[in-house]
Amino acid sequence: MGHPLWAGLANNSQAEAIVSTMKQADMWTKYGIRSTSSADPRYSNANEIKPYSNWRGPVWINANAMLAYGFNRYGFSSEAQQLAQQITDLLAADITNSHTWHECYNSENGACNLCLCVSTASLTQLSLSL
């Protein structure tokens, strides 16, 4: 999803196309960017792990952090800051309510989808570098 931007592999027109795709309503939500388009027939926010089912729609913090870094790398700083703020807000709400952070959230309502914790260092680094 965000790997080509994060790694600096995309040329400028590819970067623009990736950012444009990620900004569409079927991808970008108020909680971050979905792992799969809501228009895809396989889209699902099911809270289950069957081979790869949990990558069919939820917002993943690690993937969104990579996207934010990639957006920033290619000059899409306002998009990077917006995305970083959204995932920071999502994590802040989670730690307030559950006293921990999780790595994956329902893209429709922001609820925790999986019970794996996010590294504090990764969020701090993202916040400080953008």
Side-chain angles (χ1 to χ4, degrees), residues 21-56:
T21 298
M22 294 299 112
K23 289 173 65 174
Q24 298 302 309
D26 63 316
M27 291 300 293
W28 201 312
T29 76
K30 68 181 185 176
Y31 306 106
I33 298 175
R34 294 179 172 101
S35 53
T36 300
S37 164
S38 61
D40 189 303
R42 296 167 294 177
Y43 172 77
S44 172
N45 272 298
N47 189 5
E48 63 185 4
I49 300 177
K50 294 181 183 173
Y52 311 112
S53 61
N54 55 344
W55 279 90
R56 293 184 183 164

Side-chain angles (χ1 to χ4, degrees), residues 68-80:
Y69 277 113
F71 288 175
N72 199 54
R73 168 178 245 161
Y74 284 88
F76 296 94
S77 58
S78 65
E79 290 86 348

Side-chain angles (χ1 to χ4, degrees), residues 80-90 126 130:
Q81 290 173 359
Q82 178 184 355
L83 183 55
Q85 186 64 56
Q86 286 176 301
I87 62 176
T88 301
D89 290 348
L90 183 60
L126 174 64
L130 294 178

Side-chain angles (χ1 to χ4, degrees), residues 4-130:
L5 299 180
W6 173 78
L9 300 174
N11 64 37
N12 287 338
S13 79
Q14 291 168 328
E16 288 176 20
I18 291 168
V19 173
S20 177
T21 298
M22 294 299 112
K23 289 173 65 174
Q24 298 302 309
D26 63 316
M27 291 300 293
W28 201 312
T29 76
K30 68 181 185 176
Y31 306 106
I33 298 175
R34 294 179 172 101
S35 53
T36 300
S37 164
S38 61
D40 189 303
R42 296 167 294 177
Y43 172 77
S44 172
N45 272 298
N47 189 5
E48 63 185 4
I49 300 177
K50 294 181 183 173
Y52 311 112
S53 61
N54 55 344
W55 279 90
R56 293 184 183 164
V59 170
W60 284 83
I61 298 303
N62 59 339
N64 276 258
M66 291 177 83
L67 278 167
Y69 277 113
F71 288 175
N72 199 54
R73 168 178 245 161
Y74 284 88
F76 296 94
S77 58
S78 65
E79 290 86 348
Q81 290 173 359
Q82 178 184 355
L83 183 55
Q85 186 64 56
Q86 286 176 301
I87 62 176
T88 301
D89 290 348
L90 183 60
L91 290 169
D94 190 16
I95 202 164
T96 299
N97 296 324
S98 69
H99 308 291
T100 192
W101 288 332
H102 297 87
E103 64 177 356
C104 176
Y105 296 87
N106 185 300
S107 63
E108 303 296 330
N109 60 24
C112 168
N113 263 20
L114 297 173
C115 296
L116 302 172
C117 296
V118 171
S119 161
T120 305
S122 63
L123 181 63
T124 302
Q125 180 63 33
L126 174 64
S127 298
L128 294 175
S129 66
L130 294 178

